[in-house]
Amino acid sequence: MNVLTKSGTILILILLFSFQSRQDPMAGKILDEVGQRYKKMAGFSADFSHDSENNAGEVKSTRNGKIMVNGNKYRLSSGNITLICDGKVVWSADKKSKEVTISDYEPEPDDITPERIYTFYQKGYKYMFMGEVKTKTSVWQTLDLEPENIQKEVSKIRLFVDKKNRSITKWILFERGSNDREVFEVKKFVALTKVDAAQFGWNKAEFPGYKVVDLR
């Protein structure tokens, strides 16, 4: 290898390493401020919409949902499914089949779980500030997060953050390969000062007649 070729190879490696390790400081600052805001809450509840779109942006299905979160405990309802987690066990109730599945709560280290939703970007993601979007009532800052692991099913997460109060207002998950997307938008958000622990436990009376499938 001559000196010119060797120098060129070293330069390419340096540039490649710099690109892979670089994080956008502005995006990082916004994400940190978002995380700090939510960490101060005892918990939160939110109403949201969920649209499934193809790669042309055409909506294939739409449904609404509700979620309540307290640390690693959560309660999520969307369509026919209700998920309840007390931090150790997950109950998945299907209204259509009248069946509830019980399993241990064992998320993988890099899973985006409710308690990690505001910190997951800190490891395994590259992030970039993409600009601002004006709505009728506010300004949203747009951030793109890309997983460093190219084997992940999601190729990109696009976050929209309210510039004024640092709340996440919308996020889009892009599917790797097809570029189909799942679009979530917060319709109502409530910061909780107190959380009723009973909301995160299984209440048989709330789901009468359901068949129980225990996978533990």
Side-chain angles (χ1 to χ4, degrees):
M1 180 182 291
N2 61 41
V3 175
L4 182 59
T5 303
K6 184 177 180 180
S7 300
T9 301
I10 293 173
L11 178 59
I12 290 171
L13 289 173
I14 292 173
L15 290 173
L16 180 61
F17 177 78
S18 299
F19 173 77
Q20 290 177 335
S21 62
R22 187 180 67 229
Q23 302 288 21
D24 183 345
M26 184 170 183
K29 181 175 182 294
I30 294 171
L31 290 167
D32 287 344
E33 290 173 353
V34 168
Q36 290 168 12
R37 176 177 186 267
Y38 286 93
K39 285 178 184 177
K40 293 177 182 178
M41 302 176 189
F44 66 86
S45 64
D47 296 347
F48 63 89
S49 64
H50 174 195
D51 292 345
S52 294
E53 300 179 353
N54 61 22
N55 56 16
E58 299 170 335
V59 178
K60 298 185 291 184
S61 65
T62 299
R63 55 186 180 273
N64 295 316
K66 295 177 178 290
I67 188 170
M68 180 182 294
V69 177
N70 173 225
N72 63 350
K73 305 177 183 68
Y74 63 87
R75 183 186 181 98
L76 170 66
S77 298
S78 180
N80 292 315
I81 304 299
T82 298
L83 296 175
I84 302 172
C85 178
D86 65 359
K88 297 179 180 179
V89 177
V90 180
W91 294 267
S92 177
D94 188 328
K95 185 177 181 180
K96 188 174 181 180
S97 65
K98 299 277 285 187
E99 183 175 281
V100 55
T101 301
I102 307 174
S103 58
D104 290 324
Y105 181 52
E106 298 175 328
E108 296 294 327
D110 58 349
D111 284 350
I112 304 175
T113 58
E115 74 270 23
R116 298 173 185 167
I117 191 67
Y118 305 110
T119 58
F120 76 90
Y121 67 91
Q122 294 174 349
K123 185 178 180 180
Y125 282 85
K126 295 180 287 186
Y127 40 81
M128 184 68 64
F129 175 70
M130 303 303 293
E132 297 182 347
V133 177
K134 291 185 179 180
T135 70
K136 292 181 180 179
T137 57
S138 59
V139 176
W140 294 354
Q141 294 178 307
T142 308
L143 312 173
D144 276 1
L145 295 85
E146 296 184 5
E148 294 175 347
N149 181 358
I150 61 173
Q151 301 301 319
K152 283 185 173 292
E153 293 182 3
V154 174
S155 63
K156 180 171 65 178
I157 302 173
R158 178 160 291 170
L159 288 182
F160 297 84
V161 176
D162 189 294
K163 187 175 182 178
K164 185 176 181 179
N165 62 24
R166 284 296 185 257
S167 62
I168 294 178
T169 57
K170 181 177 178 179
W171 61 99
I172 305 174
L173 308 180
F174 292 83
E175 184 178 315
R176 191 175 301 280
S178 69
N179 210 35
D180 289 351
R181 60 207 71 166
E182 303 296 323
V183 182
F184 299 85
E185 184 168 348
V186 176
K187 300 299 184 181
K188 180 182 178 181
F189 183 91
V190 179
L192 303 176
T193 55
K194 293 183 179 180
V195 181
D196 181 5
Q199 294 286 337
F200 308 105
W202 178 254
N203 182 356
K204 186 177 180 180
E206 189 180 349
F207 301 88
Y210 275 60
K211 177 185 176 181
V212 176
V213 179
D214 196 332
L215 301 178
R216 294 173 294 178

